[in-house]
Amino acid sequence: MKEFKDLCHEARSVRRFEDSPVAPEIVNEIITLACEAPSGLNKQPWLYCIVSDHDLKNVIRTACEKVETEFYNKINQKRKEAFQKMNITIKKPFLTEAPYLIIVFGDNTAPYYVESVWLSVGWFMLAAKDKGLSTLTYTPENMECLNKLLNIDDNFIPQVILPLGYGEKKGKKVRKPFDEISKIF
Amino acid sequence: MKEFKDLCHEARSVRRFEDSPVAPEIVNEIITLACEAPSGLNKQPWLYCIVSDHDLKNVIRTACEKVETEFYNKINQKRKEAFQKMNITIKKPFLTEAPYLIIVFGDNTAPYYVESVWLSVGWFMLAAKDKGLSTLTYTPENMECLNKLLNIDDNFIPQVILPLGYGEKKGKKVRKPFDEISKIF
């Protein structure tokens, strides 16, 4: 069993996943824990879609890479360089390599639905790490196509795609010093 | 040491806090862990303000209750009843009772700063629970006054006030069933 602080140290954005399968029960357990998070007026305004179907992952990858291409064509040089520095390109192999894509929607009829969903996504990441799994908060600029592809009502707004599987990122986390991210009163 | 799943079960929104003091080192440790969360382009666009000064907490409470009064005067009956059902009123005693108010700002020059900050707030809640502490995501409708009160630059947008201290909420968490918050593909 890992200490909580080690989960925080080890949970990182991972873009390469191993081939190894993940039991569906583990995925359900992670999502169940993520959905124990508090939310505005306890509306629990999240919908976690669990995609493991190979063909559907392929369709999602194609759609996202199309969005990425359009996005890259319009951003400025500085932004492109920032992506390059992080080894981020328009190719998103993790969308087909990860055994699961967890696609999270937020119900826009609930107050603070964006905030609530992302708090829950924070719990999801740590719950995944507690099971030895990794993920990534992947947010293509435009995710509207996901409603059509998954047949989800329009009041549910796509928030993030979370590829989920076994994978690691080596190296040290670069963190701002404490006095840069806090102020004491 | 608690299992991760127990942290998720036990972390709940708490509105009553005990008088017991909390060591500043513990608060710093919780914030440090929250700031290990991933963020858009690793910009770490958060600022955690730590308020323990009694007079300042009083000023913040007065300002927030003024905002609440204005808010309650304009919401509809249905919303008022929803608040009543949750025992939420315009009085916010936790803003002076909790030994700390952690006020989190997001840097609006960073991409996905709202999403990043709230993911980090999710980690904060669990890190607090891991130390036996409780919190609440308190979001008055208008938080602009916090920039002036704490002398924080305007590009930092107040996201949430997190009272922090010892406190518990009894009773069972009410959660939607798994098939209502998930879909399998």
Side-chain angles (χ1 to χ4, degrees), chain A residues 17 22-24 26-32 34-35 46-53 57 60 94-95 98-105 117-118 120-121 124-125 128 133-140 143 146 150 158-165, chain B residues 178 181-185:
Chain A
F17 293 88
V22 176
I26 293 182
V27 178
N28 295 5
E29 206 181 320
I30 292 168
I31 292 173
T32 301
C35 294
W46 35 63
L47 179 65
Y48 279 79
C49 292
I50 306 164
V51 179
S52 60
D53 180 83
K57 288 195 289 181
I60 291 169
F94 52 76
L95 293 175
Y100 291 93
L101 300 181
I102 312 300
I103 303 180
V104 195
F105 294 77
V117 167
W118 280 86
S120 169
V121 168
F124 176 96
M125 287 198 87
L133 295 167
S134 291
T135 185
L136 168 74
T137 53
Y138 173 55
T139 50
M143 294 189 271
L146 294 168
L150 303 177
Q159 294 297 308
V160 61
I161 300 175
L162 302 161
L164 181 69
Chain B
F178 191 74
I181 53 93
S182 69
K183 270 181 198 281
I184 296 172
F185 296 88

Side-chain angles (χ1 to χ4, degrees), chain A residues 104-174:
Chain A
V104 195
F105 294 77
D107 177 356
N108 73 2
T109 65
Y112 295 97
Y113 75 97
V114 172
E115 292 82 349
S116 302
V117 167
W118 280 86
L119 194 152
S120 169
V121 168
W123 288 33
F124 176 96
M125 287 198 87
L126 292 171
K129 185 45 70 186
D130 187 53
K131 296 289 181 194
L133 295 167
S134 291
T135 185
L136 168 74
T137 53
Y138 173 55
T139 50
E141 198 200 20
N142 184 329
M143 294 189 271
E144 276 173 33
C145 60
L146 294 168
N147 289 73
K148 263 198 191 147
L149 287 175
L150 303 177
N151 194 24
I152 303 294
D153 287 351
D154 284 348
N155 64 303
F156 281 88
I157 312 297
Q159 294 297 308
V160 61
I161 300 175
L162 302 161
L164 181 69
Y166 293 98
E168 288 225 25
K169 190 174 170 184
K170 302 252 164 69
K172 211 176 157 327
K173 255 190 196 177
V174 181

Side-chain angles (χ1 to χ4, degrees), chain B residues 4-173:
Chain B
F4 178 76
K5 68 178 165 61
D6 291 328
L7 294 181
C8 296
H9 295 326
E10 292 169 24
R12 304 185 59 171
S13 301
V14 162
R15 288 183 176 79
R16 299 301 306 266
F17 293 89
E18 293 167 23
D19 227 2
S20 341
V22 177
E25 299 74 33
I26 293 183
V27 179
N28 295 3
E29 207 180 320
I30 292 168
I31 293 173
T32 302
L33 289 179
C35 295
E36 292 228 21
S39 57
L41 288 181
N42 195 24
K43 290 284 186 192
Q44 304 164 57
W46 36 64
L47 179 66
Y48 278 80
C49 291
I50 305 165
V51 179
S52 60
D53 181 83
H54 187 73
D55 293 342
L56 185 52
K57 285 195 289 180
N58 259 317
V59 170
I60 291 169
R61 176 173 172 181
T62 303
C64 289
E65 290 182 344
K66 185 166 172 266
V67 169
E68 294 289 354
T69 306
E70 287 160 8
F71 177 65
Y72 271 66
N73 284 340
K74 71 180 186 196
I75 59 174
N76 64 26
Q77 195 53 29
K78 199 179 149 198
R79 192 91 185 261
K80 273 181 190 151
E81 280 162 18
F83 285 127
Q84 231 165 15
K85 220 169 137 183
M86 298 178 86
N87 288 322
I88 298 175
T89 74
I90 57 166
K91 291 286 166 203
K92 305 297 173 192
F94 53 77
L95 293 175
T96 44
E97 282 170 11
Y100 291 92
L101 300 180
I102 312 300
I103 304 180
V104 194
F105 294 76
D107 178 356
N108 72 3
T109 65
Y112 294 97
Y113 74 97
V114 172
E115 292 83 349
S116 302
V117 167
W118 280 87
L119 195 153
S120 170
V121 168
W123 288 32
F124 176 96
M125 288 199 88
L126 292 171
K129 185 45 68 185
D130 187 53
K131 295 290 181 195
L133 295 168
S134 291
T135 186
L136 167 75
T137 53
Y138 174 54
T139 49
E141 197 199 19
N142 185 328
M143 296 189 271
E144 275 173 34
C145 61
L146 293 168
N147 288 75
K148 262 197 191 146
L149 287 174
L150 303 178
N151 194 25
I152 303 295
D153 288 350
D154 283 346
N155 64 302
F156 281 88
I157 313 298
Q159 295 297 308
V160 62
I161 301 176
L162 302 161
L164 181 70
Y166 293 98
E168 288 225 28
K169 189 175 172 185
K170 301 251 165 70
K172 210 175 158 325
K173 255 189 196 178

Side-chain angles (χ1 to χ4, degrees), chain A residues 29-46:
Chain A
E29 206 181 320
I30 292 168
I31 292 173
T32 301
L33 289 178
C35 294
E36 291 227 19
S39 56
L41 288 182
N42 194 25
K43 291 284 186 191
Q44 305 165 57
W46 35 63

